[in-house]
């Protein structure tokens, strides 16, 4: 984990906690009268998230939590922070508010992806095409569909700083999850990249990875990758299975073979991707082949008893 602030060209009251997988980065705002954090990481890292936030805030309370989108690696620390700071106000994009209100884990993707997220509530909505005050400055809220249909990004026009979530990384972007379910989103991804270009950021704080400054290069990489995925959606689907499998290995570290098999067969997203893109291959064979790719890449190892993350 590394910490960046004004030395990275950010406003002086913005501190970026760069997290490792499984967690998203956390962006803290220290206003005169209010503190806030954007995105809270994964549930298994929640204790560390709370400790990191405490180390920055000191004696101050955390007043607001904002989630760019509701994937488990971006909102998994909400509950722990809510417990630590009982008066905190959680703000989420509006698209899934009803699902959060009734806590529909299937609709929220947690069960579908075989991931974990403790229940949390919310007290406000991040409406696109509005502004919200963070660290005593107005940040624009923009819709950024593609990776997730309800995702938002945040832009400070004064410093030209963009919080891009998973819409743009230095070397790509997050999986186009709607595409895997048969809901076209590659076009939304392209439109979001166009939006980012039109904003003209000088620096980008991504959902994962370090702050970066060569935005034109990152956009070119993203567009090239997107073009390749549009031409070969099966490659995208295979990559998605690999990412979900690696994510689970990162979470569990060591998993018995039978437990791994049960997880594979109980994760709806894997079954859905298999049915849509790989119907001619047995599910067990497909997942075994992809696991072998992870092993060949040095990302996992397997023996007669268990699979281990590397």
């Amino acid at each position: 984990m590394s910490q960046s602030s004004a030395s990275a060209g950010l406003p002086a009251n913005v501190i970026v906690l760069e997290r490792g997988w499984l967690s998203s980065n956390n962006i803290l705002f220290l206003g005169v009268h209010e503190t806030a954090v954007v995105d809270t990481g994964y549930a298994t890292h929640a204790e560390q998230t709370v400790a990191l936030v405490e180390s920055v805030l000191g004696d101050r309370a955390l007043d607001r939590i904002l989630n760019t989108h509701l994937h488990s690696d971006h909102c998994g620390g909400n509950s722990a922070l809510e417990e630590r700071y009982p008066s905190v106000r959680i703000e989420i994009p509006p698209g899934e508010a009803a699902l959060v209100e009734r806590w529909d884990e299937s609709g929220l993707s947690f069960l579908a992806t075989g991931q974990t997220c403790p229940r949390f509530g919310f007290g406000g909505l991040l409406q696109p095409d509005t502004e919200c005050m963070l660290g005593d400055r107005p940040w624009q809220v923009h819709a950024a569909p593609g990776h997730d249909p309800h995702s938002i990004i945040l832009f400070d026009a004064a410093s030209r700083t963009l919080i891009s979530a998973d819409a743009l990384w230095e070397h790509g972007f997050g999986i186009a999850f709607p595409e895997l379910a048969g809901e076209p989103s590659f076009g939304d991804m392209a439109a979001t990249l166009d939006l980012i270009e039109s904003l003209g950021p000088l620096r980008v704080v991504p959902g994962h990875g370090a702050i970066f400054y060569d935005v034109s290069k990152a956009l070119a990489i993203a567009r090239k990758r997107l073009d390749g995925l549009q031409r070969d959606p099966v490659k995208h689907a295979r990559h998605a299975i690999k990412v979900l499998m690696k994510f689970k290995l990162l979470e569990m570290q060591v998993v018995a073979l039978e437990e791994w098999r049960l997880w594979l067969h109980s994760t709806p997203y894997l079954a859905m991707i298999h049915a849509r893109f790989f119907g001619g291959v047995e599910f067990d064979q497909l997942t075994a082949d992809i696991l072998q790719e992870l092993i060949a890449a040095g990302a996992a190892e397997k023996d007669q008893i268990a699979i281990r993350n590397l």
Side-chain angles (χ1 to χ4, degrees):
M1 193 283 300
S2 63
Q3 180 173 309
S4 302
S5 56
S7 61
L10 297 170
N13 56 2
V14 179
I15 295 174
V16 176
L17 304 177
E18 183 186 340
R19 306 292 296 276
W21 292 94
L22 305 160
S23 285
S24 65
N25 293 336
N26 314 133
I27 304 98
L28 279 155
F29 295 82
L30 306 179
V32 173
H33 301 295
E34 186 180 70
T35 66
V37 63
V38 172
D39 289 336
T40 63
Y42 192 60
T44 56
H45 294 173
E47 184 177 345
Q48 183 186 52
T49 300
V50 171
L52 289 169
V53 170
E54 287 178 334
S55 72
V56 174
L57 296 185
D59 294 334
R60 297 188 67 177
L62 177 64
D63 298 306
R64 295 164 65 200
I65 294 170
L66 295 82
N67 295 126
T68 57
H69 60 298
L70 299 184
H71 286 171
S72 61
D73 56 327
H74 289 255
C75 61
N78 284 14
S79 177
L81 285 170
E82 195 174 24
E83 182 177 352
R84 171 62 180 83
Y85 301 101
S87 63
V88 73
R89 171 186 167 97
I90 297 176
E91 301 172 29
I92 63 175
E96 295 182 310
L99 299 176
V100 173
E101 197 163 27
R102 66 176 184 266
W103 201 246
D104 182 343
E105 290 187 272
S106 296
L108 289 166
S109 84
F110 307 140
L111 293 181
T113 55
Q115 296 170 8
T116 301
C117 185
R119 185 169 188 167
F120 58 87
F122 68 95
L125 299 176
L126 296 168
Q127 296 285 358
D129 302 318
T130 65
E131 289 185 339
C132 65
M133 294 299 294
L134 292 169
D136 306 321
R137 301 166 73 114
W139 286 70
Q140 300 170 7
V141 181
H142 295 277
H147 167 67
D148 177 89
H150 310 294
S151 184
I152 58 99
I153 55 177
L154 298 165
F155 183 65
D156 173 31
S159 67
R160 291 170 64 186
T161 299
L162 177 71
I163 296 174
S164 66
D166 293 340
L168 180 68
W169 300 337
E170 188 170 11
H171 301 291
F173 43 75
I175 294 166
F177 277 102
E179 283 282 342
L180 303 174
E183 301 170 11
S185 63
F186 287 145
D188 289 335
M189 279 188 153
T192 294
L193 295 176
D194 290 345
L195 167 65
I196 291 171
E197 183 173 44
S198 74
L199 293 173
L202 293 178
R203 66 194 59 80
V204 174
V205 183
H208 302 274
I211 298 168
F212 61 89
Y213 305 88
D214 194 339
V215 183
S216 294
K217 181 179 178 181
L219 285 168
I221 291 171
R223 285 174 170 140
K224 182 176 181 180
R225 182 178 174 218
L226 180 58
D227 180 63
L229 297 179
Q230 288 175 306
R231 287 186 280 105
D232 189 359
V234 174
K235 180 179 179 181
H236 173 250
R238 191 178 186 91
H239 175 67
I241 294 175
K242 186 180 294 185
V243 167
L244 290 171
M245 290 170 65
K246 177 61 176 176
F247 193 99
K248 197 64 179 179
L249 285 174
L250 280 162
E251 177 183 353
M252 302 182 79
Q253 290 298 311
V254 180
V255 54
L257 295 182
E258 179 59 19
E259 186 179 356
W260 178 251
R261 190 190 71 81
L262 289 173
W263 177 79
L264 291 172
H265 282 268
S266 63
T267 300
Y269 244 98
L270 297 178
M272 178 187 65
I273 297 169
H274 172 253
R276 289 201 69 242
F277 295 96
F278 303 100
V281 182
E282 289 292 333
F283 180 80
D284 287 340
Q285 185 62 56
L286 174 66
T287 54
D289 290 345
I290 294 175
L291 176 61
Q292 189 56 47
E293 292 175 12
L294 287 169
I295 293 170
E301 66 178 10
K302 176 185 174 184
D303 57 28
Q304 298 300 314
I305 300 172
I307 301 166
R308 292 171 178 81
N309 181 62
L310 295 177

